[in-house]
């Protein structure tokens, strides 16, 4: 469940990246309001579920993958519908929108990345000297990158970004509260929604 009263600020760089990806897919004015980080090891899995806690399902769900690969199962609108298996490799972005937004899905297994490359080549290239200062892609410190690069050699990180509310919408007021809810856009936080049979570590933003 999301709350107007319990949240942390959404990272500005991830917000800019998500808005750019959504716009490239035809979703203008996408607002990144909630995010979840899933940490997978080779013995991790994520049970079948559907992401429906958001109050506006017309906006896409963005999924970014880094590190080792995942076997991803995309099912149907019913839990018992047959699923289509596919790989999600490091650097892949999945956009669930339209008829796929409320489909059941799962991650039954983590496997080694192709050619043992946990990081796609495009992510290890140094930026050009003329990269704009306001570019969403920026160099990180060697120390920070060393920690991340080591971790994803044996693990997978998946980051999902969602828009919770429709444009100009607010959370409905509680029945026992006659005051309007004062909320700030771009700062929502999703509570625990771990699926059954899942052993993936999650961090909500």
């Amino acid at each position: 469940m999301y709350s107007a009263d319990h949240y942390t600020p959404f990272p500005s760089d991830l917000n800019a990246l998500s808005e750019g990806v959504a716009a490239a897919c035809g979703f203008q004015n996408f607002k990144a309001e909630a995010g979840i980080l899933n940490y997978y090891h080779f013995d991790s899995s994520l049970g079948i579920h559907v992401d429906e806690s958001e109050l506006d399902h017309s906006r896409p769900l963005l999924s970014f993958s880094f590190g080792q690969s995942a076997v991803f199962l995309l099912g149907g609108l019913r839990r018992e519908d047959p699923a289509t298996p596919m790989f999600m490799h490091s650097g892949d972005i999945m956009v669930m929108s339209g008829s796929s937004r409320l489909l059941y899905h799962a991650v039954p297994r983590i496997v080694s990345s192709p050619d043992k490359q946990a990081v796609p080549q495009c992510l290890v290239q140094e930026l050009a000297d003329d990269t704009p200062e306001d570019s969403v892609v920026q160099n990180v410190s060697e120390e920070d990158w060393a920690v991340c690069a080591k971790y994803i050699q044996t693990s997978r990180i998946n980051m999902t970004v969602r828009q919770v509310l429709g444009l100009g919408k607010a959370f409905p007021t509680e029945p026992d509260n006659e005051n309007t809810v004062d909320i700030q856009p771009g700062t929502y936080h999703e509570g625990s929604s771990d699926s059954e049979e899942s052993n993936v570590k999650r961090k909500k933003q």
Side-chain angles (χ1 to χ4, degrees):
M1 297 294 294
Y2 294 98
S3 170
D5 302 314
H6 304 284
Y7 55 81
T8 55
F10 200 90
S12 58
D13 50 356
L14 179 55
N15 176 65
L17 174 63
S18 301
E19 288 183 356
V21 170
C25 295
F27 293 94
Q28 305 298 326
N29 302 316
F30 175 82
K31 300 298 180 184
E33 295 175 330
I36 294 180
L37 281 175
N38 292 330
Y39 297 90
Y40 297 83
H41 296 296
F42 281 114
D43 59 352
S44 299
S45 62
L46 182 63
I48 186 170
H49 67 284
V50 59
D51 295 293
E52 57 184 5
S53 298
E54 294 71 37
L55 302 185
D56 182 2
H57 297 147
S58 69
R59 312 305 285 169
L61 183 150
L62 311 181
S63 174
F64 302 84
S65 295
F66 304 97
Q68 303 305 307
S69 300
V71 176
F72 185 85
L73 299 180
L74 184 63
L77 293 173
R78 299 178 305 168
R79 191 182 188 88
E80 62 271 20
D81 288 341
T84 300
M86 64 189 77
F87 284 116
M88 290 185 67
H89 298 304
S90 188
D92 285 352
I93 301 175
M94 175 177 287
V95 179
M96 297 183 69
S97 63
S99 59
S100 70
R101 178 60 179 81
L102 295 176
L103 296 184
Y104 278 92
H105 52 280
V107 177
R109 188 175 180 183
I110 305 301
V111 297
S112 297
S113 56
D115 303 321
K116 307 299 181 182
Q117 296 295 320
V119 182
Q121 192 61 32
C122 62
L123 295 182
V124 298
Q125 296 174 348
E126 292 190 9
L127 297 180
D129 294 336
D130 59 351
T131 300
E133 291 186 3
D134 60 350
S135 172
V136 69
V137 181
Q138 296 288 339
N139 281 316
V140 298
S141 70
E142 291 186 7
E143 182 180 2
D144 288 345
W145 177 246
V147 173
C148 295
K150 180 179 180 181
Y151 181 81
I152 59 178
Q153 291 298 324
T154 58
S155 305
R156 173 181 183 251
I157 298 175
N158 174 249
M159 179 171 58
T160 62
V161 178
R162 307 102 184 279
Q163 178 171 331
V164 179
L165 301 170
L167 218 57
K169 300 295 183 180
F171 283 102
T173 56
E174 297 294 334
D176 58 345
N177 183 3
E178 295 181 357
N179 297 322
T180 58
V181 179
D182 182 17
I183 61 173
Q184 302 178 29
T187 54
Y188 306 116
H189 169 94
E190 184 176 27
S192 176
S193 61
D194 289 356
S195 304
E196 60 202 66
E197 302 176 1
S198 301
N199 60 352
V200 57
K201 294 182 180 178
R202 312 186 108 183
K203 181 179 180 181
K204 288 82 175 178
Q205 180 69 44

